[in-house]
Amino acid sequence: VDGSVDTNVVGTYKITYTATDSSNNTNSVTRYVRVRDLSSNTGVIYLTFDDGPSSSSTPKILDILDKKGVKATFFVVNHDSSLDYLIKRAYDAGHTIGLHSYTHNYAKIYSSKENYYNDLNLISNKVESITGEKSMIMRFPGGGSNTVSRKYSKGIMSELTKEVLNLGYRYYDWNVSSGDAAGGSPSSEKIKNNVINSLRKDRSNMVLMHDIKAATRDALKSIIQYGKDNGYSFEKITIDTEMVTQRVNN
Ligand code: ZN
């Protein structure tokens, strides 16, 4: 074992494990261990927006975030490249651009690991070409806990959720759902209540929203106001943000 971890000092540690068998075959793997101070993370709200950008909602959402002085995270897709300027605008405003999917087509991306990584690389290259920065922050379509992938490839999430970490990515599920993607087009009042009723002071709150939803846009101001009035702070995801992950089900 090459390298060591000091759990008393926050940081990222590189450890390389090497093994040799009796026939002198040697192999090694490298793992990164992050030591973090979790006590500093309590009462934080991470607003995250999936599946955008959208011409009708994203500009408004960016306006509101700006006005409130809040930084958020956008997990983007490639549904309409004429909206790339909105990804650039979000990035320039200081928000985090995370990788969601190029196609968001479950049947395609979860049919094989190769297809998954092809899709991930496409959205990664797209984001890098827009912002000039490679994003290593990602969210699986459907989340790490999705069961839809079972239909296309048994066990694929168990492998992907480990492999992406070894590739240097960090993936973020959520522990607060706004329910804005639920059927029946929930009202902005309902979305706001879904969020504020799930917030907790003793953890970081990773909030799932979609910037393609008009009702989400309309709920945003009051969600932020509630957070501020109740002593929460708002942060964007960075590569050092502790991952919030759900149980893997496939
Ligand atoms: Zn999505």
Side-chain angles (χ1 to χ4, degrees):
V1 179
D2 188 27
S4 63
V5 177
D6 183 350
T7 54
N8 291 313
V9 180
V10 168
T12 302
Y13 298 86
K14 183 178 174 182
I15 313 285
T16 302
Y17 300 89
T18 306
T20 306
D21 70 10
S22 54
S23 306
N24 263 329
N25 300 303
T26 292
N27 203 352
S28 63
V29 292
T30 297
R31 293 291 180 267
Y32 293 91
V33 179
R34 287 186 169 85
V35 174
R36 308 205 2 95
D37 178 5
L38 291 181
S39 63
S40 64
N41 236 15
T42 52
V44 176
I45 297 175
Y46 296 91
L47 298 176
T48 70
F49 298 94
D50 288 13
D51 297 356
S54 138
S55 59
S56 54
S57 300
T58 306
K60 261 270 179 59
I61 285 172
L62 289 171
D63 287 346
I64 294 169
L65 292 172
D66 239 20
K67 212 182 240 161
K68 296 280 188 185
V70 167
K71 301 295 183 228
T73 302
F74 292 84
F75 289 101
V76 299
V77 298
N78 179 56
H79 287 331
D80 185 350
S81 40
S82 73
L83 302 177
D84 288 356
Y85 73 96
L86 288 171
I87 295 177
K88 175 82 172 129
R89 187 183 148 189
Y91 178 82
D92 287 345
H95 304 295
T96 292
I97 308 299
L99 311 175
H100 195 35
S101 176
Y102 198 75
T103 62
H104 212 294
N105 180 334
Y106 292 132
K108 212 174 191 175
I109 62 177
Y110 290 142
S111 59
S112 71
K113 287 200 290 181
E114 188 187 355
N115 285 349
Y116 178 78
Y117 286 119
N118 282 340
D119 180 272
L120 180 64
N121 287 333
L122 282 171
I123 192 66
S124 172
N125 291 341
K126 180 190 171 86
V127 165
E128 189 177 3
S129 75
I130 295 170
T131 66
E133 186 186 327
K134 194 167 173 59
S135 179
M136 299 305 286
I137 292 164
M138 52 168 285
R139 172 172 287 160
F140 290 103
S145 64
N146 80 76
T147 52
V148 67
S149 58
R150 282 183 194 157
K151 251 198 283 187
Y152 310 109
S153 206
K154 276 245 171 312
I156 192 170
M157 296 315 299
S158 303
E159 297 186 26
L160 289 177
T161 49
K162 292 195 189 88
E163 285 180 11
V164 294
L165 304 186
N166 292 333
L167 291 169
Y169 290 102
R170 311 267 284 155
Y171 77 90
Y172 295 84
D173 289 324
W174 54 90
N175 53 22
V176 176
S177 176
S178 68
D180 63 351
S185 299
S187 67
S188 57
E189 187 63 18
K190 171 95 176 117
I191 289 167
K192 175 195 152 189
N193 287 330
N194 285 343
V195 172
I196 68 175
N197 292 333
S198 304
L199 294 175
R200 276 176 30 193
K201 274 286 171 55
D202 61 349
R203 66 173 184 189
S204 60
N205 298 275
M206 193 65 67
V207 183
L208 170 67
M209 298 188 286
H210 295 79
D211 55 321
I212 52 174
K213 302 282 181 186
T216 301
R217 176 196 70 198
D218 296 338
L220 184 59
K221 239 189 246 177
S222 45
I223 289 170
I224 293 173
Q225 200 52 52
Y226 177 91
K228 291 190 164 183
D229 290 347
N230 289 276
Y232 289 92
S233 62
F234 290 86
E235 286 180 23
K236 62 180 180 180
I237 296 173
T238 73
I239 200 67
D240 290 323
T241 300
E242 185 70 11
M243 294 199 305
V244 170
T245 60
Q246 301 166 350
R247 199 169 73 94
V248 174
N249 295 305
N250 176 32

